[in-house]
Amino acid sequence: LAQERPTFSSHARKKRGTAPAPTNLAAGMSAKASKASKNADSINARLQLVMRSGKYMLGYKTTLKSLRHGKSKLILIANNCPALRKSEIEYYAMLAKTGVHHFHGDNNELGTACGRYYRVCCLSITDPGDSDIIRTLPGME
């Protein structure tokens, strides 16, 4: 009771092994990704300049204090900040007429961008120093 295996022609074998032709979709996605990464690099560079030459406050409590005293010029919030905390900061910023930028990274990445080895949920920039971060960030969103 020997079973016969079906035979394939050489044409069928070649056709089975070919991959579909690449589409131009990947090129469009990489252009968007590179623009977003350049944008993030620009934000990180400006933020590092603020850390070197300006004045800032890291953390939720000190950010709220600076907003209440009217000292904040710009607020940066990590994208994984809890919703209630984020809305409270946005409300205080609206009352203080201060710009808010939603950082396109989580609190680990925001802490790293600030040059710290810990997580930073939000930060308040009180004096930008040599950086032009206040003029550029609110218009970027």
Side-chain angles (χ1 to χ4, degrees):
L1 296 169
Q3 292 181 351
E4 290 184 18
R5 292 189 340 189
T7 59
F8 295 103
S9 66
S10 63
H11 177 69
R13 263 187 247 129
K14 286 181 186 173
K15 191 164 181 106
R16 217 176 339 147
T18 59
T23 60
N24 212 2
L25 183 65
M29 288 178 140
S30 65
K32 284 184 181 178
S34 65
K35 185 176 180 183
S37 66
K38 284 179 187 175
N39 205 2
D41 291 342
S42 166
I43 292 168
N44 289 347
R46 288 186 173 103
L47 192 54
Q48 287 172 355
L49 194 57
V50 169
M51 296 297 141
R52 281 195 303 265
S53 65
K55 292 183 180 177
Y56 56 92
M57 295 180 180
L58 299 176
Y60 173 68
K61 284 184 176 181
T62 56
T63 297
L64 286 185
K65 283 180 188 176
S66 70
L67 280 169
R68 281 197 300 263
H69 292 298
K71 295 179 181 176
S72 292
K73 303 279 191 292
L74 179 70
I75 306 293
L76 272 85
I77 304 175
N79 69 356
N80 64 343
C81 183
L84 184 63
R85 183 176 287 189
K86 188 185 295 187
S87 63
E88 185 177 7
I89 292 168
E90 288 171 346
Y91 178 70
Y92 274 83
M94 183 262 307
L95 291 176
K97 296 182 178 76
T98 303
V100 176
H101 178 74
H102 298 282
F103 190 76
H104 292 292
D106 60 355
N107 51 8
N108 287 315
E109 292 175 18
L110 184 57
T112 304
C114 293
R116 300 294 186 267
Y117 294 112
Y118 47 84
R119 298 180 293 251
V120 174
C121 174
C122 52
L123 84 117
S124 167
I125 298 173
T126 55
D127 176 32
D130 299 330
S131 178
D132 61 343
I133 194 167
I134 293 181
R135 288 188 299 272
T136 56
L137 277 192
M140 284 179 138
E141 290 183 66

